[in-house]
């Protein structure tokens, strides 16, 4: 199944659009007396905007000759900008692509370019593409990446990343790039699989996105030669400067674990950077509560506060992204032929729109949400509650491994020697060591170790949300771990926190055990409550949801717990293999 983005409008629709300009037919909406941002000339311009269904058909001084059944909106004293674009979304951070898109639209982000890893690993290709097609019918535009590595160590990787699968994904019109390249060290070591698909992406006119935290000039140069086009891992103004000097487009990040934007913008000025044509904004798949104040609109607001010129701040959220991805014929400007993603602002100093048009439909009108999204039939796409046909036993909770994992910070996990007795049913709260287990969602294998640094008083946290889709158990009490697992199984997947024989909090994740079906506003409250409870019990890091995700993520140093066992990232070896059940 292909999603034909290049042929969004059929010939008869285009003929109708032209007939509207000729005065032979009426548009469906007209925005009168608009002051709109024109990114080509970097100016605010006055004019009228005619829309036919989901397309802008005319922008200029004229009014349409015919107005039969046409909605006319007076935009006097309001400012219009193109819908904002999130170029690097991970739409599976407890929320799902639909609830994220609905929520983002309320804040003016009407286009998302999203990670496909969850769809790639959890669904068949047929189901994944049917899901892409269903998302295509929503007012927000969803584009996708094509991953080249699974970001963990897993059996059957060659099955998922087969030639046939990769070709189908890359040729899908909804896919704009390959990446993010978390597996780039393999490329440097001679992995021609990654290089081949980077070259195929180039041949198809698609982009290659890097993931190069801390990369030297030399590494950035090599990755440019391999074909990388952009990177979102700049953590300082100097990092931004380095990437721009090598000819990269730079995504400036402001996320739940890296809220860097104010610092980046200050330091960019110190580095002498005063032009932003090759910069764009990203929130990099933040967890739900981070979005309480908005999405890309919040980044524009920060940029304005940091003294970025008004028009440049808006261009980084719209035109720069569209032009970079070669979708500027559809996005990024309020000009004829573009998709009618339009934000109506009370003033340019406040980028959160009062009204939002997505694909020509109101999704927000005068500050009030408008229901414009169709209901998603999740089970049709293979996203049903988790049904586990096996049970966890006390025998599974044997922790005799000599090597543990020590959380130095949110992303760095180091190996350490376990010296305490792990045969007890409960660990003391006098220290920050907890039982840690990763168990196959099909019940075939397990990895048991100790996690140091996570918390002092968490008795049992069980999560079906993980990087691999397998089950994570962390806690001091084996009895509570069994209870939390049982409850997680009962609710069809989710995150469950137990203490002294009671469930004290849960976040149901009925979509494959990885995503909530609840609106973002409800999910935010559930996530905030979990964070509060964990911090009260000694968790000190930035984001517990990312902690769960990163435990298996082998693009980060130094050791990880994976479906193959405890894995040494730096030496690319399995230190202790999984135990078959």
């Amino acid at each position: 199944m292909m999603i034909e983005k290049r042929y969004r409008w059929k010939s008869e629709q285009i003929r109708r659009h032209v007939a509207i300009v000729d005065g032979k037919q009426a548009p469906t909406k007209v925005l009168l007396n608009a002051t709109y941002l024109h990114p080509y000339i970097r100016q605010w311009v006055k004019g009228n905007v005619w829309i036919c269904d989901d397309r802008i058909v005319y922008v200029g001084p004229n009014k349409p000759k015919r107005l039969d059944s046409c909605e006319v909106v007076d935009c006097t004293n309001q400012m219009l900008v193109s819908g904002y674009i999130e170029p690097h979304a991970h739409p599976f951070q407890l929320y799902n692509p639909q609830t994220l898109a609905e929520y983002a639209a309320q804040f003016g982000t009407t286009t998302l370019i999203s990670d496909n890893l969850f769809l790639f690993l959890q669904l068949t290709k047929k189901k994944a593409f049917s899901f892409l097609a269903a998302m295509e019918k929503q007012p927000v535009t969803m584009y996708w990446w094509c991953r080249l590595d699974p970001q963990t160590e897993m059996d059957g990787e060659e099955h998922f990343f087969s030639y046939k699968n990769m070709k189908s994904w890359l040729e899908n019109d909804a896919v704009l790039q390959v990446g993010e390249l978390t597996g780039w060290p393999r490329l440097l070591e001679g992995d021609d699989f990654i290089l081949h698909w980077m070259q195929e992406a180039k041949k198809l006119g698609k982009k290659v996105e890097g993931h190069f935290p801390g990369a030297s000039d030399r590494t950035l140069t090599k990755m440019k030669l391999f074909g990388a086009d952009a990177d979102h891992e700049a953590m300082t103004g100097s990092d931004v400067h380095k990437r721009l000097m090598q000819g990269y487009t730079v995504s400036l990040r402001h996320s739940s674990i890296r809220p860097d934007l104010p610092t980046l913008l200050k330091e960019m000025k110190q580095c002498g950077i005063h032009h932003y044509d090759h910069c764009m904004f990203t929130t990099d798949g933040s967890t739900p509560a981070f979005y309480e104040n908005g999405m890309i609109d919040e980044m524009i607001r920060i940029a304005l506060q940091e003294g970025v010129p008004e028009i440049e701040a808006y261009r980084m959220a719209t035109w720069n992204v569209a032009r970079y991805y070669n979708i500027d014929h559809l996005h990024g400007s309020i000009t004829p032929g573009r998709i009618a993603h339009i934000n109506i602002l009370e003033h340019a100093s406040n980028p959160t729109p009062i009204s939002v048009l997505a694909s020509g439909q109101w999704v927000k009108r005068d500050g009030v949400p408008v229901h414009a999204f169709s209901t998603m039939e999740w089970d049709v796409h293979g996203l049903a509650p988790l049904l586990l046909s096996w049970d966890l036993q006390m025998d599974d909770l044997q922790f005799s491994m000599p090597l543990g994992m020590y959380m130095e910070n949110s992303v760095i996990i180091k190996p350490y020697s376990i010296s305490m007795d792990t045969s007890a049913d409960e660990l003391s709260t006098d220290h920050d060591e907890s039982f840690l287990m990763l168990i196959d969602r099909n019940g075939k294998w397990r990895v048991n170790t100790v996690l140091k640094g996570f918390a002092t008083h968490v008795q049992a946290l069980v999560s079906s949300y993980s990087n691999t889709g397998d089950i994570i158990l962390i806690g001091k009490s084996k009895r509570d771990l069994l209870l939390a697992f049982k409850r997680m199984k009962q609710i069809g997947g989710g995150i469950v926190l137990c203490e002294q024989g009671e469930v004290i909090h849960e976040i149901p994740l009925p979509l494959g055990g990885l995503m909530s079906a609840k609106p973002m506003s409800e999910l935010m409250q559930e996530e905030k409550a979990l964070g509060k409870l964990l911090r009260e019990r000694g968790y000190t890091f930035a984001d517990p949801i990312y902690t769960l995700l990163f435990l298996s993520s082998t693009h980060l140093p130094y050791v990880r717990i994976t479906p193959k066992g405890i894995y040494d990232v730096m030496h690319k070896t399995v230190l202790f293999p999984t135990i078959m059940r």
Side-chain angles (χ1 to χ4, degrees):
M1 180 189 294
M2 295 285 284
I3 297 178
E4 290 291 354
K5 289 272 188 225
R6 283 169 294 187
Y7 308 111
R8 184 179 177 103
W9 297 284
K10 294 175 181 168
S11 298
E12 59 265 30
Q13 290 175 296
I14 295 170
R15 294 286 180 196
R16 183 185 169 201
H17 301 159
V18 173
I20 291 168
V21 178
D22 286 339
K24 294 173 184 174
Q25 293 189 40
T28 51
K29 284 184 179 67
V30 176
L31 309 179
L32 291 179
N33 309 314
T35 300
Y36 66 97
L37 178 60
H38 202 305
Y40 285 65
I41 58 172
R42 285 181 160 89
Q43 289 176 16
W44 294 98
V45 180
K46 290 191 186 308
N48 303 314
V49 182
W50 308 0
I51 296 165
C52 178
D53 298 326
D54 63 341
R55 195 182 199 198
I56 299 168
V57 297
Y58 171 86
V59 186
N62 299 331
K63 294 179 182 178
K65 290 179 182 175
R66 299 185 60 167
L67 290 170
D68 342 351
S69 305
C70 175
E71 182 184 358
V72 179
V73 183
D74 186 358
C75 296
T76 303
N77 298 325
Q78 294 178 319
M79 317 282 274
L80 273 59
V81 293
S82 185
Y84 309 138
I85 307 172
E86 166 56 87
H88 186 100
H90 295 271
F92 313 104
Q93 310 294 40
L94 302 187
Y95 43 74
N96 65 68
Q98 163 108 342
T99 50
L100 178 64
E102 273 194 76
Y103 183 81
Q106 293 302 309
F107 294 87
T109 299
T110 54
T111 301
L112 296 109
I113 302 166
S114 297
D115 187 0
N116 78 326
L117 188 61
F118 168 86
L119 300 174
F120 196 77
L121 295 180
Q122 304 301 331
L123 302 181
T124 64
K125 186 172 69 178
K126 187 176 179 182
K127 293 284 188 191
F129 284 3
S130 80
F131 176 73
L132 265 57
M135 287 304 298
E136 173 80 357
K137 293 170 185 165
Q138 305 291 9
V140 164
T141 305
M142 295 287 283
Y143 295 105
W144 301 86
W145 331 334
C146 174
R147 286 275 194 163
L148 301 185
D149 71 271
Q151 215 168 278
T152 190
E153 293 303 304
M154 58 186 289
D155 287 319
E157 183 179 329
E158 61 286 346
H159 163 71
F160 289 104
F161 292 85
S162 68
Y163 179 85
K164 193 174 175 184
N165 267 357
M166 298 302 298
K167 189 172 184 337
S168 298
W169 272 96
L170 195 53
E171 289 181 350
N172 192 307
D173 272 353
V175 172
L176 298 185
Q177 68 175 18
V178 295
E180 56 184 303
L181 295 180
T182 51
W184 60 268
R186 281 164 44 182
L187 177 64
L188 289 178
E189 288 159 13
D191 187 325
D192 280 342
F193 172 87
I194 293 177
L195 182 56
H196 170 77
W197 290 112
M198 289 171 71
Q199 289 178 305
E200 285 295 304
K202 293 291 190 181
K203 192 170 80 177
L204 291 166
K206 302 189 179 190
K207 297 294 184 180
V208 176
E209 190 188 14
H211 178 100
F212 310 138
S216 65
D217 280 336
R218 185 186 178 116
T219 298
L220 289 170
T221 298
K222 289 181 187 176
M223 296 312 300
K224 204 79 183 80
L225 295 175
F226 282 124
D229 296 299
D231 184 54
H232 61 284
E233 287 290 336
M235 296 180 219
T236 64
S238 172
D239 285 347
V240 176
H241 186 264
K242 215 183 323 187
R243 284 156 176 75
L244 291 173
M245 290 300 290
Q246 302 275 11
Y248 284 87
T249 292
V250 183
S251 296
L252 307 177
R253 178 169 54 189
H254 194 68
S255 72
S256 52
I257 52 170
R258 297 286 329 182
D260 291 341
L261 188 61
T263 302
L264 288 175
L265 292 170
K266 283 187 182 82
E267 293 181 357
M268 284 166 69
K269 283 184 188 170
Q270 292 165 9
C271 291
I273 299 168
H274 303 290
H275 296 279
Y276 305 90
D277 284 5
H278 296 282
C279 296
M280 47 198 183
F281 298 129
T282 180
T283 59
D284 193 12
S286 295
T287 43
F290 185 78
Y291 291 124
E292 209 158 23
N293 297 322
M295 199 172 193
I296 297 298
D297 59 314
E298 179 69 3
M299 298 193 72
I300 300 169
R301 186 176 291 107
I302 292 168
L304 295 174
Q305 289 165 356
E306 293 299 328
V308 174
E310 191 176 82
I311 288 172
E312 297 309 309
Y314 281 101
R315 277 170 53 106
M316 278 195 274
T318 55
W319 175 244
N320 290 7
V321 191
R323 192 182 51 183
Y324 167 75
Y325 279 107
N326 300 320
I327 53 172
D328 48 306
H329 61 299
L330 295 174
H331 300 277
S333 65
I334 300 175
T335 47
R338 272 61 180 192
I339 298 169
H341 291 325
I342 298 174
N343 291 334
I344 300 176
L345 315 178
E346 290 182 302
H347 194 271
S349 62
N350 181 7
T352 305
I354 188 75
S355 298
V356 180
L357 283 170
S359 298
Q361 300 178 62
W362 294 111
V363 293
K364 185 181 187 182
R365 188 79 193 272
D366 298 327
V368 180
V370 178
H371 183 69
F373 285 74
S374 54
T375 304
M376 188 67 71
E377 295 179 38
W378 294 108
D379 51 343
V380 170
H381 305 296
L383 290 164
L386 200 59
L387 289 173
L388 301 183
S389 59
W390 53 276
D391 287 311
L392 194 66
Q393 310 292 341
M394 190 57 97
D395 283 354
D396 291 311
L397 300 176
Q398 294 178 18
F399 295 83
S400 56
M401 190 180 290
L403 183 85
M405 293 165 56
Y406 165 54
M407 286 183 68
E408 190 167 280
N409 59 35
S410 293
V411 295
I412 292 176
I413 303 177
K414 292 183 173 178
Y416 86 105
S417 295
I418 300 169
S419 56
M420 63 173 183
D421 178 14
T422 56
S423 63
D425 287 348
E426 197 164 312
L427 298 178
S428 167
T429 55
D430 293 341
H431 56 72
D432 62 356
E433 289 164 282
S434 306
F435 297 121
L436 168 65
M437 178 159 75
L438 182 71
I439 189 162
D440 174 32
R441 67 157 53 196
N442 298 310
K444 293 178 181 174
W445 53 259
R446 61 180 171 84
V447 194
N448 298 45
T449 185
V450 170
L451 182 63
K452 180 175 172 56
F454 177 77
T456 52
H457 287 71
V458 173
Q459 296 304 304
L461 178 71
V462 171
S463 174
S464 60
Y465 171 85
S466 68
N467 189 42
T468 62
D470 299 305
I471 316 298
I472 295 170
L473 297 91
I474 307 171
K476 298 275 188 177
S477 164
K478 292 180 181 178
R479 187 173 63 102
D480 284 330
L481 285 168
L482 287 173
L483 176 66
F485 178 86
K486 184 179 177 183
R487 180 58 185 163
M488 181 278 298
K489 183 178 169 180
Q490 280 175 347
I491 61 175
I495 300 173
V496 178
L497 192 62
C498 282
E499 193 167 280
Q500 295 178 347
E502 287 185 17
V503 175
I504 59 171
H505 189 61
E506 61 186 42
I507 303 177
L509 301 174
L511 305 182
L514 293 157
M515 300 182 295
S516 172
K518 291 180 182 175
M520 281 282 276
S521 55
E522 291 180 38
L523 184 58
M524 283 175 183
Q525 298 313 311
E526 291 181 348
E527 183 215 352
K528 283 200 283 188
L530 176 68
K532 182 174 183 289
L533 288 165
L534 290 176
R535 286 185 178 90
E536 287 169 358
R537 285 154 182 77
Y539 177 85
T540 59
F541 301 110
D543 192 326
I545 305 306
Y546 261 101
T547 294
L548 295 173
L549 192 71
F550 283 162
L551 283 171
S552 303
S553 298
T554 52
H555 65 292
L556 300 167
Y558 290 86
V559 290
R560 301 289 143 168
I561 188 166
T562 77
K564 285 190 175 178
I566 303 293
Y567 187 75
D568 181 333
V569 176
M570 310 313 279
H571 297 99
K572 297 178 177 49
T573 54
V574 175
L575 301 174
F576 292 91
T578 52
I579 297 167
M580 301 311 289
R581 293 177 77 230

